[in-house]
Amino acid sequence: MFREMRRKAQQLSREECIEVLNTATSGVLAVLGDEDYPYAVPVSYAYDDGCIYIHGALSGHRHDAIMRHDKASFCVIDTDDVIPELRTSSYRSVIAFGRATAVEDEEKLKALILLGKKYSADYEEETLEEIRTTFSRTCITKLQIEHITGKAGLEYLKKKAM
């Protein structure tokens, strides 16, 4: 159902893909938007056990698109160091495909705590207070990963081999 990567020698392992998801701080969620135009939006997220959790509002373009059509993709660029003299870059990126749904109750709370730990680890008490006060007006979107691939540029692989 999903395409295989064309440049297999540059393909990241599943473990490396998960490492990228765990270390990167932003990604781009792509959904089928209004009038069937692609809608790609930069987001903050947390990864856990085959799922990407995204914090957002209870309404808006992204929310409406997901409610209409649950298939989505998510892309993260972990590294992108331009090498001008070689007219290339040293990069590593991941793309995941899956189904997006809004989560509630315990799973929503778990996701908010994960996001808090990722972005504000030193502010646990403040994060829990914010969760308590904003819980009812916050939407958490879960992208259940069905397929994931990652790729490293040749210059990244050369640097890693050294």
Side-chain angles (χ1 to χ4, degrees), residues 104-144:
E104 296 295 333
D105 304 323
E106 289 179 30
E107 189 171 14
K108 181 176 172 179
L109 177 60
K110 175 185 116 176
L112 288 166
I113 291 169
L114 284 169
L115 286 157
K117 285 180 181 175
K118 181 171 183 175
Y119 294 100
S120 299
D122 294 337
Y123 300 93
E124 186 177 349
E125 283 185 38
E126 295 88 343
T127 298
L128 291 174
E129 177 60 20
E130 185 172 345
I131 290 169
R132 189 186 67 70
T133 60
T134 63
F135 190 83
S136 65
R137 60 181 194 270
T138 302
C139 178
I140 293 292
T141 299
K142 173 175 80 171
L143 181 68
Q144 178 70 53

Side-chain angles (χ1 to χ4, degrees), residues 31-83:
V31 295
L32 188 60
D34 295 345
E35 304 291 324
D36 293 340
Y37 280 96
Y39 179 63
V41 60
V43 296
S44 300
Y45 71 94
Y47 171 82
D48 185 56
D49 194 27
C51 298
I52 296 166
Y53 292 98
I54 301 163
H55 179 278
L58 293 170
S59 63
H61 195 164
R62 174 181 68 188
H63 185 269
D64 294 347
I66 290 168
M67 294 300 111
R68 270 195 316 275
H69 187 78
D70 68 345
K71 289 182 180 175
S73 66
F74 185 77
C75 179
V76 173
I77 300 170
D78 173 56
T79 302
D80 186 23
D81 298 321
V82 175
I83 308 169

Side-chain angles (χ1 to χ4, degrees), residues 2-17 20 91-95 147-154 156-157 160:
F2 293 99
R3 291 182 184 214
E4 288 188 30
M5 185 174 287
R6 191 170 52 88
R7 296 189 175 208
K8 293 200 185 322
Q10 293 174 255
Q11 187 167 344
L12 301 178
S13 68
R14 180 168 183 82
E15 292 75 23
E16 290 171 306
C17 290
V20 168
Y91 68 89
R92 189 167 76 153
S93 62
V94 168
I95 187 163
H147 182 70
I148 189 169
T149 58
K151 184 178 177 184
L154 294 174
Y156 181 92
L157 294 173
K160 185 178 171 186

